[in-house]
């Protein structure tokens, strides 16, 4: 693909759809940015400025066209104590340092680590986010009367019914416009976007954080920046993987890491807090037809236009309309097929998926949920590989040959050691045939050392045959049995 055709594919696959989808996203971003600002303990304009800056910058710098990044709840939860103890200026400094860490992650190609996140973890992550998105809408119904429930029901009917008649305009956008018009026309007493908080009236301005540049400041912001960088990259990379699957396209995960960093640095310099990719808004964008970078750019630009120029009308959007849109997002995000798949797939996959969901939902911490899922996946994988490990032996005269089949690593090291009979002392030689095996880590090498040195301790020489190049390199570097003066450690 030529540079011009690639540029067109990324930016202008369908201009009309991208602009309409970006419009829906911008409308849905406003109450969320305000809500996340409240969670972080800062003025609403901090979240709104961040959403504008991050969306616009990531449209150019990100590695996943069509994905929406802005201020998020996951990041806001991390910031609360920093703002409470040290104030907004330290948050802005932490945002800049977060961006630096994320750029370094991109340069170090840490995005490639997504290959080690199993399908079950991704599914659990998606389902957990769908549940959290739905749960986040429930407070809007507290103390609400039949009118609120009725408006949300009508909104959902439009969202799911309109596409049966026409797909020319995103049904979510029609829902927001129609419900707003009805609420204003009939003077319905409903909670609106304006009730969420004050919208800014000025453009964001460039300014460096007003804090002392010393080691004490670094000590304060460093832990927060590291956590923000990790949470932001994790949520962004997981969201990118989901959008990849939804659109049947690929993306550059390392470019996305660096792009998130650049976007956060710009946000911090213009009075915004750190953000990352938003799965809910990304699903809205893709579901509404947004595929190119233009949809992300327009979402950020139109967001600023809405809060500065059309603020009078934006304030009157009933939350019922946006709640209906977000409920649609949660329904569309949830992987319903994963429930039926639990009957067919291995139990270990189902356990990993359910554990990821449970940890994310109960802790509201995406990083902990994914970490739990990855650890469980690793444990189950190690157990599965260990099942295929075996050692067989044959004796020819006074020569005993052990044939090792399978992987030798931390999960099979003890089984490898336990497969040898050290009481058989009437032998002239031991042959360990490892043609069908591979040494992976220091635990496996240590097991080999113990076996060889034990036989030598009994006066029986050992010959190792069939080491592949990678295993031989590891044995030479980490093994001790071939080093001069090597003896069996006490207790072995």
């Amino acid at each position: 693909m030529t540079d011009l055709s690639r540029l067109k594919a990324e930016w202008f696959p369908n201009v009309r759809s991208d602009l309409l989808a970006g419009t829906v996203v911008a409308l849905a971003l406003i109450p969320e940015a305000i809500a996340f600002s409240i969670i972080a303990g800062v003025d609403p304009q901090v979240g709104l400025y961040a959403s504008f800056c991050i969306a616009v910058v990531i449209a150019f710098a990100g590695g996943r066209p069509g994905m929406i990044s802005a201020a998020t709840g996951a990041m806001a939860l991390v910031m609360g104590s920093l703002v409470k103890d040290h104030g907004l200026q330290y948050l802005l400094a932490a945002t800049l340092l977060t961006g630096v860490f994320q750029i370094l992650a991109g340069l170090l190609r840490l995005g490639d680590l997504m290959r080690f996140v199993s399908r079950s973890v991704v599914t659990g992550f998606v389902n957990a986010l769908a549940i959290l998105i739905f749960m986040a809408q429930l407070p809007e119904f507290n103390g609400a009367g039949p009118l609120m429930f009725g408006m949300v029901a009508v909104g959902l009917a439009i969202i799911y019914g309109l596409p049966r008649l026409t797909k020319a305009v995103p049904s979510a956008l029609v829902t927001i416009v129609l419900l707003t018009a009805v609420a204003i026309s009939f003077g319905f007493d409903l909670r609106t976007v304006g009730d969420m908080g004050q919208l800014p009236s000025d453009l964001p301005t460039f300014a460096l954080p007003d804090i002392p540049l010393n080691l004490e400041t670094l000590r304060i912001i460093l832990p927060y920046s590291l956590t923000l960088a990790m949470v932001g990259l994790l949520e962004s990379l997981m969201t990118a993987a989901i959008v990849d699957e939804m659109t049947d396209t690929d993306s550059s995960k390392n470019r996305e890491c660096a792009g998130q960093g650049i976007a956060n640095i710009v946000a911090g310099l213009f009075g915004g807090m750190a953000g990352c990719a938003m799965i809910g808004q990304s699903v809205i964008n893709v579901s509404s037809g947004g595929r190119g970078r233009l949809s992300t750019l327009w979402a950020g630009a139109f967001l600023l236009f809405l809060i500065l120029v059309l603020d009078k009308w934006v304030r009157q959007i009933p939350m019922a309309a946006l709640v209906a849109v977000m409920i649609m997002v949660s329904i569309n995000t949830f992987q319903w097929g994963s429930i039926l798949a639990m009957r067919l797939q291995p139990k270990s996959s189902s356990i990993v998926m359910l554990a990821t969901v449970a940890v994310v939902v109960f802790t509201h911490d995406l990083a902990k949920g994914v970490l739990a899922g990855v650890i469980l996946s690793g444990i189950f994988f190690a157990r599965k590989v260990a099942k295929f490990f075996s050692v067989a032996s044959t004796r020819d005269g006074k020569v005993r040959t052990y044939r090792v089949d399978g992987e030798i690593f931390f999960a099979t090291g003890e089984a490898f050691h336990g497969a040898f009979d050290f009481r058989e002392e009437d032998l002239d030689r031991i042959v360990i045939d490892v043609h069908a095996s591979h040494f992976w880590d220091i635990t496996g090498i240590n097991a080999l050392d113990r076996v060889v040195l034990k036989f030598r301790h009994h006066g029986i020489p050992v010959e190792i045959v069939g080491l592949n190049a990678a295993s031989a390199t590891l044995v030479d570097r980490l093994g001790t049995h071939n080093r001069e003066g090597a003896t069996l450690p006490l207790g072995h």
Side-chain angles (χ1 to χ4, degrees):
M1 184 182 290
T2 64
D3 290 342
L4 185 60
S5 59
R6 183 182 294 109
L7 186 67
K8 183 178 179 181
E10 288 191 357
W11 277 95
F12 311 111
N14 189 323
V15 173
R16 181 177 176 278
S17 294
D18 279 350
L19 292 177
L20 289 173
T23 299
V24 178
V25 170
L27 289 166
L29 274 175
I30 294 174
E32 292 207 351
I34 295 174
F36 299 150
S37 298
I38 294 171
I39 291 173
V42 296
D43 191 273
Q45 75 174 22
V46 177
L48 290 166
Y49 285 165
S51 295
F52 158 69
C53 292
I54 294 171
V56 169
V57 173
I58 207 67
F60 295 93
R64 171 64 261 177
M67 189 168 75
I68 304 299
S69 295
T72 64
M75 302 286 270
L77 287 170
V78 177
M79 304 169 187
S81 57
L82 175 62
V83 174
K84 181 179 178 181
D85 296 338
H86 301 282
L88 173 62
Q89 295 301 314
Y90 279 84
L91 172 60
L92 299 181
T95 298
L96 296 179
L97 187 56
T98 296
V100 172
F101 286 140
Q102 291 178 328
I103 291 174
L104 289 175
L107 294 175
L108 294 173
R109 305 188 66 79
L110 297 185
D112 292 339
L113 295 177
M114 273 299 296
R115 292 178 298 178
F116 300 101
V117 179
S118 71
R119 182 73 251 168
S120 300
V121 175
V122 174
T123 301
F125 175 85
V126 172
N127 289 345
L129 279 175
I131 294 170
L132 290 181
I133 290 170
F134 180 80
M135 290 173 61
Q137 311 313 309
L138 297 181
E140 293 296 331
F141 293 99
N142 290 341
L147 182 59
M148 174 67 178
F149 287 90
M151 288 284 277
V152 172
V154 171
L156 289 171
I158 296 172
I159 287 171
Y160 287 106
L162 184 63
R164 296 177 180 272
L165 302 175
T166 177
K167 295 182 179 180
V169 182
S171 59
L173 178 58
V174 174
T175 299
I176 294 171
V177 173
L178 284 182
L179 293 191
T180 302
V182 169
I184 294 174
S185 300
F186 290 93
F188 288 157
D189 183 18
L190 289 168
R191 179 174 163 85
T192 65
V193 170
D195 296 327
M196 296 285 292
Q198 185 66 34
L199 299 181
S201 56
D202 301 313
L203 288 169
T205 56
F206 177 89
L208 292 172
D210 184 16
I211 56 170
L213 299 177
N214 52 37
L215 289 177
E216 177 61 19
T217 296
L218 181 62
R219 184 190 65 79
I220 293 170
I221 66 173
L222 182 61
Y224 291 98
S225 295
L226 285 171
T227 303
L228 287 169
M230 181 183 70
V231 171
L233 289 181
L234 185 59
E235 186 164 359
S236 297
L237 293 176
M238 296 292 280
T239 303
I242 293 163
V243 177
D244 286 353
E245 185 168 323
M246 291 178 68
T247 59
D248 290 323
T249 57
D250 198 10
S251 61
S252 172
K253 304 301 187 294
N254 293 310
R255 179 178 173 181
E256 187 62 41
C257 291
Q260 291 289 333
I262 295 170
N264 277 323
I265 288 175
V266 172
L269 292 174
F270 283 88
M273 61 194 207
C276 63
M278 307 178 74
I279 186 170
Q281 304 298 344
S282 297
V283 171
I284 290 177
N285 193 44
V286 173
S287 301
S288 301
R291 293 291 188 277
R293 294 180 183 275
L294 180 62
S295 62
T296 307
L297 175 62
W298 178 248
F302 192 60
L303 168 66
L304 190 65
F305 179 76
L306 286 171
I307 60 180
L308 295 183
V309 180
L310 301 182
D311 59 318
K312 176 184 176 182
W313 300 103
V314 170
R315 295 175 199 276
Q316 299 181 68
I317 296 175
M319 288 302 298
L322 297 173
V323 167
V325 172
M326 296 311 295
I327 289 177
M328 175 272 289
V329 170
S330 68
I331 293 172
N332 290 355
T333 300
F334 195 90
Q335 302 287 304
W336 299 100
S338 64
I339 297 176
L340 296 176
M342 289 174 62
R343 296 189 305 172
L344 305 174
Q345 66 189 13
K347 288 184 179 179
S348 59
S349 297
S350 298
I351 292 172
V352 169
M353 189 268 286
L354 292 174
T356 303
V357 171
V359 174
V360 172
V361 171
F362 284 107
T363 66
H364 285 225
D365 190 323
L366 301 171
K368 288 179 181 177
V370 173
L371 182 61
V374 169
I375 291 174
L376 273 177
S377 295
I379 292 173
F380 285 130
F381 176 75
R383 288 184 59 189
K384 184 181 295 185
V385 172
K387 288 180 180 178
F388 296 100
F389 173 81
S390 64
V391 179
S393 71
T394 57
R395 177 166 176 164
D396 183 8
K398 290 193 174 185
V399 176
R400 169 73 70 177
T401 300
Y402 289 90
R403 291 180 176 84
V404 186
D405 191 354
E407 313 306 314
I408 307 169
F409 63 119
F410 64 87
T412 58
E414 283 304 314
F416 174 81
H417 177 271
F420 295 88
D421 184 2
F422 302 105
R423 296 169 300 177
E424 194 175 21
E425 299 185 359
D426 61 332
L427 296 172
D428 291 338
R429 185 163 55 99
I430 292 289
V431 177
I432 302 177
D433 185 349
V434 292
H435 278 98
S437 61
H438 185 94
F439 288 88
W440 286 99
D441 60 11
I442 193 170
T443 304
I445 302 301
N446 179 257
L448 178 64
D449 285 339
R450 289 162 60 197
V451 168
V452 173
L453 292 174
K454 268 192 178 183
F455 278 121
R456 287 180 183 170
H457 179 71
H458 291 292
I460 304 172
V462 178
E463 179 185 0
I464 301 171
V465 298
L467 270 178
N468 58 46
S471 296
T473 300
L474 205 61
V475 170
D476 289 342
R477 191 170 80 244
L478 301 176
T480 60
H481 63 268
N482 282 335
R483 296 179 185 176
E484 187 176 349
T487 58
L488 190 68
L490 292 176
H492 294 271

